[in-house]
Amino acid sequence: MEIKSMRFKANAAGSLANVVLQGNLKNAKGKFVTKRAEALKDLDDFEGTRDAAVAIRNKVIDNLDLWLERFEQKAQETGATVMWAKDGAEVCRLVTEIAKKHGVKKVTKSKSMLSEEAGLNQALEAAGIQPVETDLGEYILQVDNNEPPSHIIAPAVHKSLDDVADLFHKVHGTPRKTEIPALTREAREVLRGHFLSAEMGLSGGNFLVAETGSVALVTNEGNGRMVTTMPKVHVVITGIEKVIPTLEDLSTLMRLLPRSATGQSISNYFSILTGVKKPEEHDGPEHLYFVLVDSGRADVVGTDFHAMLRCIRCGACMNHCPVYQTIGGHAYGWVYPGPMGSVLTPLYAGMENSIDLPHAATLCNQCGVVCPVKIPLPDLLRKLREKQTERGLRPLTERIGLRLWAWVAQRPKLYALGASLGARYLKWLAGDADRIRLLSTAPEWTLGRDFPAPQGKTFRELYAARQKTAKEST
């Protein structure tokens, strides 16, 4: 998938100016937030469960190689084949080779963010193999000129009901429908033939269980089961960090994942898939492949960003992020949007390819507060900013400005004088108005909003007056 993170500012400006998108985002805003808050009320000990989840994830990523070896051994004992991919290109090569080996002409896909990372659909098409997205949101995007997802849980959240109605009418050549049940039925009818005719199914994996060699899938649509049990070949593509030790650990994490993602106590479909079809079983694949992908993950182990590997891909951070809620997911320019994407994209795709993403946050810590595995996202974003500055990736004027500010901030009297002069300048610029339409010294601040004019006295002036009053009263 093409990385467009270098154009974040232009992407964000386009999103803000897109009236239709802004309306769709406004309608979607808050739904995940409200549902999550309600779902957490049913959890006996949310903080205790979070602590347990952090311990589980840390246990794995601190000894990732050992747990991966254990998973590989157990998976092979169940008849599965385990493969390793260094990057997206290797993912595409391995999956294409598997498909050709089994004479595959059509692949039905359940949701897989790693296949998005690798650009797998394009590689399959180039090899003469038809990929068919069967997750409703992903299907909508595929038939709409292969539009990329804008959310990791709800990939088509940026589209309205009317958008989908118009799209299905155009693509399917059917009468335009405006009711959700009718539209979903239409999608099911179209996809049913693909489920029955596909020779290979491809899925992601929410978790890999080391003690049993299993993959756990969490979905809200029956397509996940259809993709993984009907075709003769099932390929699982997932990151190496998704492994967990035991089924008991899985039950702990499953108390958090659906609540954090969609506000459900449990998702509609929760599958634990182990091994190939046995003679006495009625469904399941005859061939099962696990493609375990690095793509920069191993390089994160043991670094300042080690905690990011705890991520369970729930999307809670972006659901609560004021930046994501305002511009949507496409502005971030790659597979992972929101706060998690602002950390992951620089780590996986390179800081030089995502200059603005670590700055695409207010550092309000909404993301850190709601993260079910307590990833300190604001701290990681600050650390990325520091590394960008150290490597000279930020503009020279910005670096000089930060050094000048740091120098002044270490000299209280000079800082106080600068703050006082700055406040007076802003008051003069505002005149009698309570807002500044154009901030000449920093015009980007007022390109899309007015800057509030200072009101009353500065903090230092108020504090000095308070101290003086307290002294006189004694």
Side-chain angles (χ1 to χ4, degrees):
M1 182 178 179
E2 183 184 358
I3 299 173
K4 300 179 181 178
S5 300
M6 284 295 287
R7 299 201 293 270
F8 174 77
K9 288 185 177 181
N11 294 342
S15 296
L16 290 170
N18 188 327
V19 177
V20 175
L21 174 64
Q22 287 300 309
N24 293 343
L25 291 174
K26 184 177 180 180
N27 290 334
K29 186 182 294 187
K31 291 180 181 178
F32 287 118
V33 174
T34 303
K35 289 182 179 179
R36 172 189 173 276
E38 289 297 319
L40 291 181
K41 293 178 181 178
D42 299 330
L43 200 56
D44 296 335
D45 183 6
F46 175 53
E47 288 303 324
T49 307
R50 288 177 83 193
D51 289 337
V54 170
I56 291 167
R57 298 300 291 133
N58 281 344
K59 181 179 180 180
V60 168
I61 62 177
D62 288 346
N63 298 280
L64 188 56
D65 54 341
L66 300 179
W67 288 108
L68 286 170
E69 289 175 0
R70 186 171 300 183
F71 171 80
E72 180 182 33
Q73 177 188 347
K74 290 296 181 180
Q76 289 173 340
E77 289 175 2
T78 70
T81 299
V82 179
M83 298 176 163
W84 306 87
K86 181 180 180 180
D87 52 27
E90 201 159 4
V91 171
C92 294
R93 180 180 63 80
L94 289 173
V95 175
T96 302
E97 288 177 356
I98 293 169
K100 289 181 176 180
K101 176 182 177 180
H102 294 282
V104 172
K105 297 298 181 183
K106 181 187 294 183
V107 177
T108 47
K109 294 180 62 193
S110 181
K111 189 190 298 266
S112 168
M113 298 309 295
L114 247 165
S115 74
E116 296 279 356
E117 269 190 55
L120 181 59
N121 282 8
Q122 294 85 344
L124 289 173
E125 289 172 350
I129 301 165
Q130 180 187 4
V132 180
E133 298 286 356
T134 65
D135 173 90
L136 180 58
E138 295 280 1
Y139 172 74
I140 290 169
L141 299 179
Q142 185 180 33
V143 299
D144 193 9
N145 298 313
N146 291 308
E147 185 181 11
S150 65
H151 193 288
I152 64 170
I153 301 299
V157 70
H158 59 285
K159 290 189 178 294
S160 67
L161 177 61
D162 284 335
D163 291 335
V164 178
D166 292 338
L167 178 66
F168 279 14
H169 170 62
K170 175 184 175 182
V171 173
H172 298 155
T174 54
R176 188 176 186 276
K177 303 174 180 66
T178 55
E179 294 182 354
I180 293 175
L183 289 168
T184 55
R185 174 168 288 279
E186 183 171 317
R188 288 169 62 191
E189 291 172 352
V190 171
L191 289 170
R192 190 166 294 138
H194 293 300
F195 286 129
L196 294 172
S197 59
E199 303 94 346
M200 187 167 94
L202 188 145
S203 74
N206 292 92
F207 300 105
L208 302 173
V209 185
E211 77 169 341
T212 59
S214 309
V215 58
L217 295 179
V218 183
T219 68
N220 273 319
E221 302 170 27
N223 69 309
R225 289 290 290 170
M226 299 285 279
V227 163
T228 58
T229 57
M230 290 193 67
K232 292 183 178 181
V233 182
H234 175 203
V235 178
V236 180
I237 304 177
T238 191
I240 56 175
E241 82 282 10
K242 292 294 187 71
V243 66
I244 59 174
T246 67
L247 289 171
E248 185 175 350
D249 294 329
L250 176 61
S251 68
T252 298
L253 291 164
M254 280 303 298
R255 300 186 77 194
L256 294 170
L257 177 57
R259 286 180 167 89
S260 300
T262 55
Q264 297 167 282
S265 57
I266 192 167
S267 58
N268 291 341
Y269 294 88
F270 173 44
S271 305
I272 301 176
L273 307 173
T274 308
V276 297
K277 178 182 177 183
K278 297 179 177 61
E280 68 274 12
E281 293 178 334
H282 298 292
D283 62 18
E286 296 175 9
H287 307 277
L288 173 60
Y289 297 86
F290 288 96
V291 179
L292 306 186
V293 188
D294 180 358
S295 277
R297 289 155 174 80
D299 292 336
V300 179
V301 175
T303 69
D304 293 332
F305 306 96
H306 189 75
M308 196 63 218
L309 294 175
R310 293 203 298 258
C311 180
I312 60 174
R313 303 297 194 269
C314 66
C317 60
M318 63 187 69
N319 295 338
H320 291 74
C321 176
V323 178
Y324 175 89
Q325 289 177 346
T326 304
I327 62 174
H330 287 154
Y332 293 83
W334 201 45
V335 180
Y336 304 111
M340 62 172 290
S342 293
V343 176
L344 286 177
T345 302
L347 294 179
Y348 293 170
M351 276 190 279
E352 66 280 2
N353 296 319
S354 46
I355 295 297
D356 292 318
L357 290 191
H359 302 261
T362 64
L363 302 184
C364 65
N365 199 33
Q366 285 263 43
C367 53
V369 169
V370 300
C371 177
V373 287
K374 296 187 176 182
I375 299 172
L377 287 159
D379 292 342
L380 300 185
L381 289 167
R382 277 192 291 267
K383 180 61 68 175
L384 281 170
R385 295 180 184 185
E386 291 173 9
K387 290 189 176 298
Q388 283 186 336
T389 301
E390 291 169 2
R391 290 174 55 181
L393 294 174
R394 298 303 301 170
L396 179 62
T397 52
E398 180 182 302
R399 285 180 279 144
I400 292 174
L402 286 172
R403 288 181 181 178
L404 179 61
W405 181 89
W407 185 83
V408 172
Q410 295 177 66
R411 292 158 176 78
K413 291 183 178 179
L414 189 58
Y415 186 90
L417 176 62
S420 176
L421 293 175
R424 291 179 185 177
Y425 167 73
L426 291 174
K427 287 181 180 179
W428 171 81
L429 198 61
D432 296 331
D434 60 353
R435 291 184 177 274
I436 300 170
R437 299 296 301 274
L438 177 63
L439 195 59
S440 55
T441 52
E444 287 193 350
W445 276 86
T446 47
L447 281 177
R449 60 181 182 267
D450 292 340
F451 191 88
Q455 302 294 319
K457 297 182 178 181
T458 66
F459 170 80
R460 286 178 173 273
E461 290 170 341
L462 292 171
Y463 184 75
R466 183 173 179 177
Q467 291 292 93
K468 182 180 179 181
T469 301
K471 195 172 184 179
E472 290 174 350
S473 63
T474 57

